[in-house]
Amino acid sequence: PELSLDMVRLTIDASLTTLAYAVCGTVLTILLGIIGGIFASEVWWQSIAPYHQNSQISPWWLLVRFLLAVPRAIHEMIWGLFFVNLWGLDPLTAVLAIAIPFGAITAKVFSEILDETPRQPLQNLLNSGVAAPVAFAYSLLPQAFLNLLSYSFYRFECSIRSAAVLGIIGSGGLGYQIFLSLQSLKYEQLWTFFYALVVLNGAVDFTSAW
């Protein structure tokens, strides 16, 4: 790898850009995942509408699941190309290209985590007359929190890789620098950027394990 002072500065700057895209994209992803995950879970609709517990499927649950399947089916690169045509090379392009498909994926996984969480504490609160949203927040979410947090870190790691890939379409960061190095056949610079990408992902993985 090339380790000249200018190259190190360029690598740090590109790494921070990629990290910024990943952080912003992940924050929006988690927000969309929490909201979508709650409304896409069976246990939510069974809690607020008990009559759906008798082997009936809520039409709202089906609608939410269908709506989440649409952005999930489109790769973030396609979203990035679409947003580039709308706004040009704006940072918002990379952030939304990460957040929209990843938010839908996260919502699906979050809903499955919630549905697989033991429901007895939730049922006890509901049977005691506690309002469904309050019972949901005090019983189900605390039990599922660690699993939700673990998947959030995994999605953050995915966001870093996606932010690098989106750099190829011109959003900047490590992906863009890797693309330029490939075009100019400067493989020493290429390895410098590769190592920086490995360090970023490794730091997220270490933090997640901790």
Side-chain angles (χ1 to χ4, degrees):
E2 181 181 335
L3 297 176
S4 64
L5 184 59
D6 289 339
M7 190 61 192
V8 171
R9 289 175 178 171
L10 178 62
T11 304
I12 293 175
D13 183 66
S15 299
L16 291 177
T17 299
T18 298
L19 182 62
Y21 288 153
V23 169
C24 294
T26 303
V27 170
L28 286 179
T29 293
I30 300 306
L31 290 176
L32 293 174
I34 292 174
I35 297 172
I38 291 175
F39 288 112
S41 63
E42 289 183 345
V43 65
W44 168 258
W45 295 106
Q46 291 175 353
S47 299
I48 66 172
Y51 54 85
H52 287 304
Q53 294 180 1
N54 300 324
S55 301
Q56 298 183 27
I57 299 178
S58 169
W60 293 107
W61 176 78
L62 292 175
L63 176 62
V64 173
R65 299 286 286 196
F66 172 77
L67 292 177
L68 289 175
V70 176
R72 195 170 67 243
I74 303 175
H75 194 273
E76 58 266 21
M77 180 64 79
I78 306 300
W79 284 108
L81 293 173
F82 174 72
F83 290 138
V84 162
N85 289 324
L86 289 180
W87 302 313
L89 301 178
D90 191 274
L92 189 62
T93 296
V95 173
L96 290 182
I98 293 172
I100 291 178
F102 282 12
I105 294 172
T106 303
K108 180 179 184 295
V109 175
F110 278 9
S111 68
E112 293 171 352
I113 291 175
L114 293 174
D115 284 337
E116 294 171 1
T117 302
R119 305 183 185 183
Q120 190 58 47
L122 173 64
Q123 292 300 326
N124 292 339
L125 290 179
L126 291 175
N127 293 334
S128 301
V130 178
V134 177
F136 200 87
Y138 276 89
S139 62
L140 213 63
L141 291 181
Q143 292 184 88
F145 176 73
L146 289 181
N147 288 329
L148 298 175
L149 181 64
S150 177
Y151 185 78
S152 298
F153 271 108
Y154 167 71
R155 191 46 61 186
F156 183 31
E157 183 179 336
C158 294
S159 295
I160 291 178
R161 291 194 296 269
S162 293
V165 172
L166 288 169
I168 296 176
I169 66 175
S171 61
L174 286 173
Y176 183 65
Q177 297 300 330
I178 289 173
F179 180 66
L180 292 180
S181 297
L182 278 173
Q183 282 189 322
S184 56
L185 303 180
K186 296 181 179 179
Y187 298 113
E188 295 85 0
Q189 296 181 4
L190 189 67
W191 279 109
T192 304
F193 299 130
F194 276 161
Y195 285 136
L197 197 57
V198 170
V199 169
L200 279 180
N201 277 277
V204 174
D205 184 48
F206 175 81
T207 306
S208 175
W210 174 76

